[in-house]
Amino acid sequence: MPGDHCTMEKVDHILSEFRLDEDDLMEVMRRLQKEMERGLRLETHEEASVKMLPTYVRSTPEGSEVGDFLALDLGGTNFRVMLVKVGEDEERGWKVETKNGMYSIPEDAMTGTAEMLFDHVAECISDFLGKHHIKHKKLPLGFTFSFPVRHEDIDKGILLNWTKGFKVSGAEGNNVVGLLRDAIKRRGDFEMDVVAMVNDTVATMISCYYEDRRCEVGMIVGTGCNVCYMEEMRTVELVEGEEGRMCVNTEWGAFGDHGELEEFRLEYDRVVDETSVNSGQQLYEKLISGKYMGELVRLVLLKLVSENLLFNGEASEQLRTKGSFDTRYVSQIESDSGDRKHIYNILTTLGLLPSERDCDIVRLACESVSTRAAHMCAAGLAGVINRMRERRSQEDLKITVGVDGSVYKLHPCFQDKFHRVVRDLTPHCDITFLQSEEGSGRGAALVSAVACKMATCMLTQ
């Protein structure tokens, strides 16, 4: 029908804003690399949007770290405690067995005081130790803490700022390991030896290194989005020493906070940012991650309604409500087999009665937002990998990227679009993508094993 054709042309015009061509992606890559360089240099570190935080993880596991370890993984609304047994195995040289406990973090602990949050964490650890009858053991503990931290050592890190909806008072500017140790002391019913604190990207990289010795990049695309990688020590000016490599946590989610992405941000991005708890911060992450993807789609749908291109120009009360369009809906809608049943069911739960054309338009909106996210993310990773190749003066680089996160793992098309663009933008690199098993939780335990091994090595030197 002619009317249909005209409508779809107008829809396409609105959604075309999300499309990025190769020149756009190259420009994003170049600007990110520039900020990475500024983050690594002493004189520009403070004003750089990409902080390039040294992690003090200088070595990757050799597979000979054995024993029982406890791991904590705090980075979102759920908090995980793990008991990990790292043993030797004749075939592979090592084996890892894990027992998990999952705990939720109540809203008041996410937005209350540091004491409240860490008392809750200590209570969860106590519960887990009690269930597994190991309260009497003083185990080495590795802490995966997925927020921007300036490390002063592998077991000491100052929280720079909260992200991902956390707004806990009294924590920013303080040593996070100290806050955890204080809470454990306040409880008094168990003892722990906190040996390492790392970011979830680092835990992911180390856990994947056990599978593939070429893994030197760790990446998360889930609620948040971030990358770490092994950087040449000579360029990490914040830490003394020239030899070897150190893992750097880029904290690239804040790329764009100083205006580097302005011409790529759309009206929907500005609304998402202005209505978030950390307005003006994490602008690159807000283009990519699962925390914001559903809300971006909701705003696009409202725009299409206002232009009389969707739902006969009428939005339901639910659709007008902030946060009502879950990011999981984006994955489910794009997974629809073509009979539109999935899409129809989701839209009816939002109080809408969609036509077939409405369902098709909603799918296009989801694809536009998620494709831009995959391409933006790919430009960033390509920038990191190209930098690694150049700094190592290698004509060709063979490298593995360990990846975790719900968007990467669960969205039906994200991986393929992301991989393709990364490879297009890194012509002299042979890249393998390795999905992290049990994610940053398992990695946290392996990091604590590595930290113990490193501590033992340092004592014997």
Side-chain angles (χ1 to χ4, degrees):
M1 286 169 66
D4 272 13
H5 181 69
C6 182
T7 297
M8 296 311 276
E9 273 193 344
K10 288 176 180 171
V11 168
D12 184 67
H13 178 69
I14 286 170
L15 297 181
S16 68
E17 282 191 298
F18 284 93
R19 285 180 210 134
L20 298 164
D21 62 24
E22 192 173 351
D23 286 346
D24 293 331
L25 296 170
M26 295 283 281
E27 186 58 31
V28 169
M29 184 173 83
R30 277 193 294 270
R31 289 184 196 180
L32 177 73
Q33 287 177 321
K34 186 181 171 188
E35 281 305 299
M36 287 171 69
E37 187 63 35
R38 280 160 51 78
L40 285 167
R41 296 180 69 86
L42 264 175
E43 69 258 36
T44 49
H45 173 79
E46 279 306 315
E47 69 246 28
S49 62
V50 181
K51 287 297 180 204
M52 304 295 283
L53 303 168
T55 65
Y56 289 79
V57 173
R58 297 167 194 261
S59 68
T60 37
E62 296 307 320
S64 57
E65 302 81 6
V66 295
D68 288 1
F69 303 92
L70 204 70
L72 312 183
D73 183 9
L74 174 62
T77 49
N78 289 322
F79 162 67
R80 195 194 329 215
V81 187
M82 296 176 80
L83 172 64
V84 180
K85 293 178 181 292
V86 182
E88 290 184 22
D89 182 275
E90 280 181 25
E91 278 180 40
R92 303 179 72 179
W94 56 273
K95 62 177 179 182
V96 181
E97 294 171 12
T98 58
K99 290 175 182 172
N100 277 290
M102 203 63 138
Y103 300 88
S104 62
I105 298 175
E107 185 69 33
D108 60 348
M110 284 174 68
T111 54
T113 64
E115 205 166 280
M116 283 165 66
L117 175 63
F118 285 95
D119 281 350
H120 177 70
V121 169
E123 189 184 329
C124 295
I125 300 170
S126 176
D127 176 74
F128 180 84
L129 297 175
K131 280 179 181 165
H132 294 281
H133 312 292
I134 48 173
K135 266 196 182 173
H136 60 286
K137 285 189 173 184
K138 186 179 180 180
L139 295 173
L141 181 143
F143 187 18
T144 297
F145 184 74
S146 309
F147 301 94
V149 164
R150 177 173 286 115
H151 276 267
E152 294 178 0
D153 210 328
I154 196 159
D155 66 345
K156 185 178 182 187
I158 308 301
L159 175 65
L160 298 178
N161 56 277
W162 289 108
T163 58
K164 292 179 280 197
F166 277 71
K167 263 286 180 234
V168 175
S169 62
E172 291 177 343
N174 284 316
N175 174 20
V176 178
V177 174
L179 294 172
L180 175 62
R181 285 177 177 147
D182 291 347
I184 291 170
K185 207 174 281 179
R186 278 195 297 275
R187 273 199 76 81
D189 63 342
F190 66 90
E191 285 187 73
M192 277 293 129
D193 183 16
V194 187
V195 294
M197 179 173 74
V198 291
N199 185 270
D200 53 354
T201 56
V202 182
T204 295
M205 181 186 80
I206 285 198
S207 106
C208 288
Y209 182 87
Y210 264 78
E211 310 295 326
D212 181 340
R213 294 295 194 257
R214 284 208 182 92
C215 186
E216 292 187 88
V217 181
M219 178 171 193
I220 304 285
V221 196
T223 306
C225 181
N226 192 20
V227 158
C228 73
Y229 70 102
M230 297 303 286
E231 174 62 91
E232 307 305 301
M233 271 296 290
R234 67 178 186 277
T235 68
V236 186
E237 292 187 7
L238 277 73
V239 179
E240 284 184 21
E242 298 283 311
E243 295 303 309
R245 293 173 185 148
M246 178 179 281
C247 181
V248 167
N249 165 20
T250 65
E251 283 300 337
W252 77 2
F255 175 48
D257 290 9
H258 297 164
E260 306 94 340
L261 291 167
E262 277 319 287
E263 68 266 44
F264 300 109
R265 293 174 69 231
L266 308 177
E267 59 185 283
Y268 322 102
D269 301 308
R270 297 182 199 286
V271 174
V272 160
D273 177 48
E274 284 157 14
T275 55
S276 68
V277 295
N278 58 345
S279 181
Q281 297 176 320
Q282 302 295 108
L283 297 185
Y284 183 55
E285 181 173 77
K286 284 171 180 167
L287 301 175
I288 297 167
S289 82
K291 182 160 181 65
Y292 309 100
M293 197 182 282
E295 182 64 4
L296 283 169
V297 171
R298 187 185 75 85
L299 294 168
V300 173
L301 299 184
L302 288 179
K303 166 83 168 181
L304 294 167
V305 169
S306 73
E307 299 283 331
N308 211 22
L309 299 169
L310 189 61
F311 310 135
N312 293 321
E314 287 184 34
S316 64
E317 198 53 46
Q318 286 106 306
L319 190 63
R320 292 191 187 281
T321 305
K322 183 190 170 206
S324 62
F325 200 96
D326 288 353
T327 292
R328 66 191 161 94
Y329 294 162
V330 181
S331 291
Q332 289 165 2
I333 284 167
E334 290 191 55
S335 301
D336 190 88
S337 57
D339 62 7
R340 306 180 181 89
K341 202 180 284 179
H342 258 357
I343 306 174
Y344 184 84
N345 289 342
I346 288 167
L347 296 176
T348 53
T349 63
L350 290 167
L352 299 155
L353 280 173
S355 65
E356 286 192 351
R357 186 177 70 184
D358 287 336
C359 291
D360 293 343
I361 291 171
V362 169
R363 184 182 186 126
L364 288 171
C366 290
E367 286 172 354
S368 298
V369 171
S370 67
T371 300
R372 182 190 65 165
H375 290 176
M376 266 287 177
C377 191
L381 184 62
V384 171
I385 291 173
N386 284 330
R387 179 192 164 85
M388 291 172 82
R389 184 183 69 80
E390 287 159 17
R391 289 295 171 275
R392 295 176 188 192
S393 305
Q394 292 180 357
E395 209 162 295
D396 296 289
L397 177 67
K398 200 172 170 65
I399 195 158
T400 295
V401 179
V403 197
D404 199 358
S406 51
V407 172
Y408 183 84
K409 285 182 168 177
L410 303 177
H411 189 282
C413 317
F414 188 94
Q415 274 192 38
D416 289 345
K417 291 173 180 176
F418 169 69
H419 291 171
R420 191 180 70 250
V421 172
V422 174
R423 290 186 172 119
D424 286 349
L425 296 174
T426 54
H428 300 287
C429 303
D430 178 359
I431 304 166
T432 300
F433 291 94
L434 182 59
Q435 203 162 288
S436 172
E437 291 309 314
E438 287 199 284
S440 56
R442 179 171 172 269
L446 299 173
V447 167
S448 55
V450 174
C452 282
K453 181 81 182 290
M454 284 164 66
T456 309
C457 290
M458 287 172 81
L459 287 171
T460 56
Q461 277 174 7

mmCIF file of all heavy atoms in Angstrom, residues 14 17-18 262-274 287 296 299-300 302-304 306-307 372:
data_model
loop_
_atom_site.group_PDB
_atom_site.id
_atom_site.type_symbol
_atom_site.label_atom_id
_atom_site.label_comp_id
_atom_site.label_asym_id
_atom_site.label_seq_id
_atom_site.Cartn_x
_atom_site.Cartn_y
_atom_site.Cartn_z
ATOM 1 N N ILE A 14 14.083 8.663 10.231
ATOM 2 C CA ILE A 14 14.323 8.928 11.664
ATOM 3 C C ILE A 14 15.390 7.978 12.212
ATOM 4 O O ILE A 14 16.299 8.383 12.940
ATOM 5 C CB ILE A 14 12.994 8.815 12.455
ATOM 6 C CG1 ILE A 14 12.120 10.046 12.163
ATOM 7 C CG2 ILE A 14 13.251 8.687 13.963
ATOM 8 C CD1 ILE A 14 10.707 9.971 12.680
ATOM 9 N N GLU A 17 19.571 8.120 11.646
ATOM 10 C CA GLU A 17 20.508 8.856 12.511
ATOM 11 C C GLU A 17 21.432 7.915 13.280
ATOM 12 O O GLU A 17 22.523 8.301 13.699
ATOM 13 C CB GLU A 17 19.732 9.683 13.541
ATOM 14 C CG GLU A 17 19.140 10.963 13.016
ATOM 15 C CD GLU A 17 18.643 11.813 14.178
ATOM 16 O OE1 GLU A 17 17.738 11.373 14.927
ATOM 17 O OE2 GLU A 17 19.176 12.921 14.344
ATOM 18 N N PHE A 18 20.959 6.681 13.512
ATOM 19 C CA PHE A 18 21.754 5.729 14.297
ATOM 20 C C PHE A 18 22.860 5.069 13.472
ATOM 21 O O PHE A 18 23.717 4.398 14.029
ATOM 22 C CB PHE A 18 20.840 4.636 14.884
ATOM 23 C CG PHE A 18 20.035 5.101 16.060
ATOM 24 C CD1 PHE A 18 18.756 5.606 15.887
ATOM 25 C CD2 PHE A 18 20.560 5.050 17.341
ATOM 26 C CE1 PHE A 18 18.013 6.051 16.980
ATOM 27 C CE2 PHE A 18 19.835 5.488 18.435
ATOM 28 C CZ PHE A 18 18.556 5.991 18.255
ATOM 29 N N GLU A 262 30.344 14.407 20.883
ATOM 30 C CA GLU A 262 29.148 15.250 20.758
ATOM 31 C C GLU A 262 28.384 15.063 19.449
ATOM 32 O O GLU A 262 27.170 14.954 19.449
ATOM 33 C CB GLU A 262 29.503 16.738 20.966
ATOM 34 C CG GLU A 262 29.563 17.135 22.434
ATOM 35 C CD GLU A 262 28.463 16.525 23.291
ATOM 36 O OE1 GLU A 262 27.309 16.964 23.171
ATOM 37 O OE2 GLU A 262 28.730 15.589 24.071
ATOM 38 N N GLU A 263 29.091 15.024 18.300
ATOM 39 C CA GLU A 263 28.335 14.941 17.040
ATOM 40 C C GLU A 263 27.748 13.559 16.794
ATOM 41 O O GLU A 263 26.955 13.366 15.866
ATOM 42 C CB GLU A 263 29.183 15.377 15.837
ATOM 43 C CG GLU A 263 30.321 14.460 15.474
ATOM 44 C CD GLU A 263 31.634 14.880 16.109
ATOM 45 O OE1 GLU A 263 31.635 15.214 17.310
ATOM 46 O OE2 GLU A 263 32.651 14.870 15.410
ATOM 47 N N PHE A 264 28.127 12.564 17.629
ATOM 48 C CA PHE A 264 27.557 11.217 17.480
ATOM 49 C C PHE A 264 26.391 10.976 18.431
ATOM 50 O O PHE A 264 25.692 9.976 18.318
ATOM 51 C CB PHE A 264 28.645 10.155 17.729
ATOM 52 C CG PHE A 264 29.806 10.266 16.779
ATOM 53 C CD1 PHE A 264 31.046 10.726 17.221
ATOM 54 C CD2 PHE A 264 29.662 9.934 15.442
ATOM 55 C CE1 PHE A 264 32.115 10.842 16.346
ATOM 56 C CE2 PHE A 264 30.727 10.040 14.558
ATOM 57 C CZ PHE A 264 31.952 10.500 15.011
ATOM 58 N N ARG A 265 26.192 11.877 19.382
ATOM 59 C CA ARG A 265 25.107 11.700 20.357
ATOM 60 C C ARG A 265 23.813 12.308 19.809
ATOM 61 O O ARG A 265 23.810 13.410 19.280
ATOM 62 C CB ARG A 265 25.479 12.334 21.704
ATOM 63 C CG ARG A 265 26.641 11.609 22.386
ATOM 64 C CD ARG A 265 27.093 12.325 23.650
ATOM 65 N NE ARG A 265 26.083 12.233 24.687
ATOM 66 C CZ ARG A 265 25.606 13.272 25.379
ATOM 67 N NH1 ARG A 265 26.047 14.491 25.112
ATOM 68 N NH2 ARG A 265 24.698 13.096 26.312
ATOM 69 N N LEU A 266 22.715 11.560 19.968
ATOM 70 C CA LEU A 266 21.419 11.977 19.429
ATOM 71 C C LEU A 266 20.534 12.525 20.544
ATOM 72 O O LEU A 266 20.878 12.441 21.723
ATOM 73 C CB LEU A 266 20.742 10.788 18.750
ATOM 74 C CG LEU A 266 21.593 10.038 17.702
ATOM 75 C CD1 LEU A 266 20.826 8.847 17.160
ATOM 76 C CD2 LEU A 266 22.018 10.973 16.579
ATOM 77 N N GLU A 267 19.376 13.040 20.167
ATOM 78 C CA GLU A 267 18.462 13.613 21.181
ATOM 79 C C GLU A 267 18.098 12.591 22.251
ATOM 80 O O GLU A 267 17.955 12.918 23.431
ATOM 81 C CB GLU A 267 17.177 14.141 20.501
ATOM 82 C CG GLU A 267 16.411 13.069 19.729
ATOM 83 C CD GLU A 267 15.207 13.614 18.952
ATOM 84 O OE1 GLU A 267 14.185 13.871 19.602
ATOM 85 O OE2 GLU A 267 15.292 13.747 17.715
ATOM 86 N N TYR A 268 17.964 11.309 21.854
ATOM 87 C CA TYR A 268 17.600 10.251 22.805
ATOM 88 C C TYR A 268 18.722 10.031 23.825
ATOM 89 O O TYR A 268 18.454 9.824 25.009
ATOM 90 C CB TYR A 268 17.326 8.931 22.062
ATOM 91 C CG TYR A 268 16.615 9.127 20.742
ATOM 92 C CD1 TYR A 268 17.305 9.063 19.523
ATOM 93 C CD2 TYR A 268 15.242 9.414 20.705
ATOM 94 C CE1 TYR A 268 16.659 9.273 18.313
ATOM 95 C CE2 TYR A 268 14.590 9.623 19.491
ATOM 96 C CZ TYR A 268 15.311 9.556 18.300
ATOM 97 O OH TYR A 268 14.676 9.764 17.102
ATOM 98 N N ASP A 269 19.969 10.083 23.343
ATOM 99 C CA ASP A 269 21.121 9.922 24.234
ATOM 100 C C ASP A 269 21.151 11.033 25.281
ATOM 101 O O ASP A 269 21.476 10.800 26.441
ATOM 102 C CB ASP A 269 22.432 9.955 23.433
ATOM 103 C CG ASP A 269 22.481 8.856 22.385
ATOM 104 O OD1 ASP A 269 22.249 7.692 22.750
ATOM 105 O OD2 ASP A 269 22.736 9.171 21.205
ATOM 106 N N ARG A 270 20.793 12.238 24.856
ATOM 107 C CA ARG A 270 20.828 13.375 25.779
ATOM 108 C C ARG A 270 19.769 13.221 26.874
ATOM 109 O O ARG A 270 20.023 13.510 28.041
ATOM 110 C CB ARG A 270 20.655 14.692 25.015
ATOM 111 C CG ARG A 270 21.807 14.918 24.039
ATOM 112 C CD ARG A 270 21.733 16.226 23.265
ATOM 113 N NE ARG A 270 22.578 16.148 22.080
ATOM 114 C CZ ARG A 270 23.899 16.203 22.101
ATOM 115 N NH1 ARG A 270 24.542 16.350 23.250
ATOM 116 N NH2 ARG A 270 24.598 16.112 20.978
ATOM 117 N N VAL A 271 18.600 12.725 26.488
ATOM 118 C CA VAL A 271 17.531 12.507 27.486
ATOM 119 C C VAL A 271 17.946 11.413 28.469
ATOM 120 O O VAL A 271 17.794 11.562 29.692
ATOM 121 C CB VAL A 271 16.188 12.145 26.799
ATOM 122 C CG1 VAL A 271 15.143 11.770 27.844
ATOM 123 C CG2 VAL A 271 15.686 13.307 25.944
ATOM 124 N N VAL A 272 18.466 10.307 27.943
ATOM 125 C CA VAL A 272 18.920 9.206 28.809
ATOM 126 C C VAL A 272 19.948 9.725 29.812
ATOM 127 O O VAL A 272 19.889 9.432 31.007
ATOM 128 C CB VAL A 272 19.512 8.048 27.965
ATOM 129 C CG1 VAL A 272 20.402 7.142 28.814
ATOM 130 C CG2 VAL A 272 18.398 7.229 27.333
ATOM 131 N N ASP A 273 20.890 10.529 29.336
ATOM 132 C CA ASP A 273 21.931 11.056 30.213
ATOM 133 C C ASP A 273 21.352 12.013 31.258
ATOM 134 O O ASP A 273 21.643 11.904 32.448
ATOM 135 C CB ASP A 273 23.001 11.771 29.380
ATOM 136 C CG ASP A 273 24.062 12.404 30.253
ATOM 137 O OD1 ASP A 273 24.569 11.717 31.158
ATOM 138 O OD2 ASP A 273 24.366 13.602 30.057
ATOM 139 N N GLU A 274 20.510 12.947 30.796
ATOM 140 C CA GLU A 274 19.974 13.966 31.712
ATOM 141 C C GLU A 274 19.106 13.363 32.806
ATOM 142 O O GLU A 274 19.004 13.918 33.899
ATOM 143 C CB GLU A 274 19.179 15.014 30.920
ATOM 144 C CG GLU A 274 20.086 15.990 30.158
ATOM 145 C CD GLU A 274 19.383 16.648 28.975
ATOM 146 O OE1 GLU A 274 18.133 16.565 28.907
ATOM 147 O OE2 GLU A 274 20.088 17.214 28.103
ATOM 148 N N LEU A 287 25.918 4.792 25.258
ATOM 149 C CA LEU A 287 25.582 4.484 23.866
ATOM 150 C C LEU A 287 25.546 2.975 23.623
ATOM 151 O O LEU A 287 25.026 2.523 22.603
ATOM 152 C CB LEU A 287 26.625 5.089 22.912
ATOM 153 C CG LEU A 287 26.848 6.602 22.946
ATOM 154 C CD1 LEU A 287 28.002 6.974 22.027
ATOM 155 C CD2 LEU A 287 25.591 7.349 22.548
ATOM 156 N N LEU A 296 16.712 3.718 25.562
ATOM 157 C CA LEU A 296 16.916 4.399 24.273
ATOM 158 C C LEU A 296 15.833 3.992 23.276
ATOM 159 O O LEU A 296 15.260 4.834 22.594
ATOM 160 C CB LEU A 296 18.303 4.064 23.700
ATOM 161 C CG LEU A 296 19.495 4.800 24.325
ATOM 162 C CD1 LEU A 296 20.805 4.180 23.863
ATOM 163 C CD2 LEU A 296 19.476 6.293 23.979
ATOM 164 N N LEU A 299 12.509 5.701 24.031
ATOM 165 C CA LEU A 299 12.475 7.101 23.599
ATOM 166 C C LEU A 299 12.307 7.214 22.082
ATOM 167 O O LEU A 299 11.618 8.108 21.582
ATOM 168 C CB LEU A 299 13.749 7.822 24.055
ATOM 169 C CG LEU A 299 13.896 7.980 25.584
ATOM 170 C CD1 LEU A 299 15.300 8.435 25.953
ATOM 171 C CD2 LEU A 299 12.855 8.954 26.140
ATOM 172 N N VAL A 300 12.934 6.283 21.344
ATOM 173 C CA VAL A 300 12.770 6.266 19.886
ATOM 174 C C VAL A 300 11.308 5.964 19.534
ATOM 175 O O VAL A 300 10.720 6.606 18.652
ATOM 176 C CB VAL A 300 13.713 5.223 19.231
ATOM 177 C CG1 VAL A 300 13.420 5.092 17.742
ATOM 178 C CG2 VAL A 300 15.170 5.614 19.453
ATOM 179 N N LEU A 302 8.667 6.579 21.318
ATOM 180 C CA LEU A 302 7.848 7.768 21.620
ATOM 181 C C LEU A 302 7.991 8.828 20.530
ATOM 182 O O LEU A 302 7.017 9.503 20.175
ATOM 183 C CB LEU A 302 8.238 8.359 22.983
ATOM 184 C CG LEU A 302 7.809 7.554 24.219
ATOM 185 C CD1 LEU A 302 8.289 8.255 25.487
ATOM 186 C CD2 LEU A 302 6.290 7.382 24.276
ATOM 187 N N LYS A 303 9.190 8.954 19.998
ATOM 188 C CA LYS A 303 9.416 9.898 18.887
ATOM 189 C C LYS A 303 8.573 9.489 17.671
ATOM 190 O O LYS A 303 7.913 10.323 17.031
ATOM 191 C CB LYS A 303 10.910 9.904 18.530
ATOM 192 C CG LYS A 303 11.256 10.569 17.204
ATOM 193 C CD LYS A 303 11.380 12.067 17.328
ATOM 194 C CE LYS A 303 11.998 12.660 16.074
ATOM 195 N NZ LYS A 303 12.151 14.119 16.170
ATOM 196 N N LEU A 304 8.568 8.200 17.344
ATOM 197 C CA LEU A 304 7.795 7.697 16.203
ATOM 198 C C LEU A 304 6.292 7.880 16.432
ATOM 199 O O LEU A 304 5.547 8.190 15.503
ATOM 200 C CB LEU A 304 8.131 6.218 15.949
ATOM 201 C CG LEU A 304 9.568 5.945 15.485
ATOM 202 C CD1 LEU A 304 9.901 4.459 15.555
ATOM 203 C CD2 LEU A 304 9.798 6.468 14.066
ATOM 204 N N SER A 306 5.006 10.314 18.272
ATOM 205 C CA SER A 306 4.746 11.763 18.149
ATOM 206 C C SER A 306 4.683 12.206 16.686
ATOM 207 O O SER A 306 4.044 13.195 16.352
ATOM 208 C CB SER A 306 5.811 12.567 18.908
ATOM 209 O OG SER A 306 7.045 12.524 18.204
ATOM 210 N N GLU A 307 5.347 11.458 15.800
ATOM 211 C CA GLU A 307 5.323 11.764 14.362
ATOM 212 C C GLU A 307 4.176 11.027 13.656
ATOM 213 O O GLU A 307 4.103 11.008 12.426
ATOM 214 C CB GLU A 307 6.662 11.361 13.721
ATOM 215 C CG GLU A 307 7.886 12.079 14.285
ATOM 216 C CD GLU A 307 8.029 13.496 13.763
ATOM 217 O OE1 GLU A 307 7.590 13.772 12.637
ATOM 218 O OE2 GLU A 307 8.577 14.345 14.514
ATOM 219 N N ARG A 372 23.931 0.183 16.436
ATOM 220 C CA ARG A 372 24.837 1.294 16.755
ATOM 221 C C ARG A 372 25.709 0.928 17.957
ATOM 222 O O ARG A 372 26.914 1.202 17.978
ATOM 223 C CB ARG A 372 24.060 2.574 17.045
ATOM 224 C CG ARG A 372 25.012 3.737 17.333
ATOM 225 C CD ARG A 372 24.336 4.979 17.849
ATOM 226 N NE ARG A 372 23.716 4.814 19.154
ATOM 227 C CZ ARG A 372 23.316 5.815 19.917
ATOM 228 N NH1 ARG A 372 23.455 7.067 19.492
ATOM 229 N NH2 ARG A 372 22.754 5.591 21.092
#
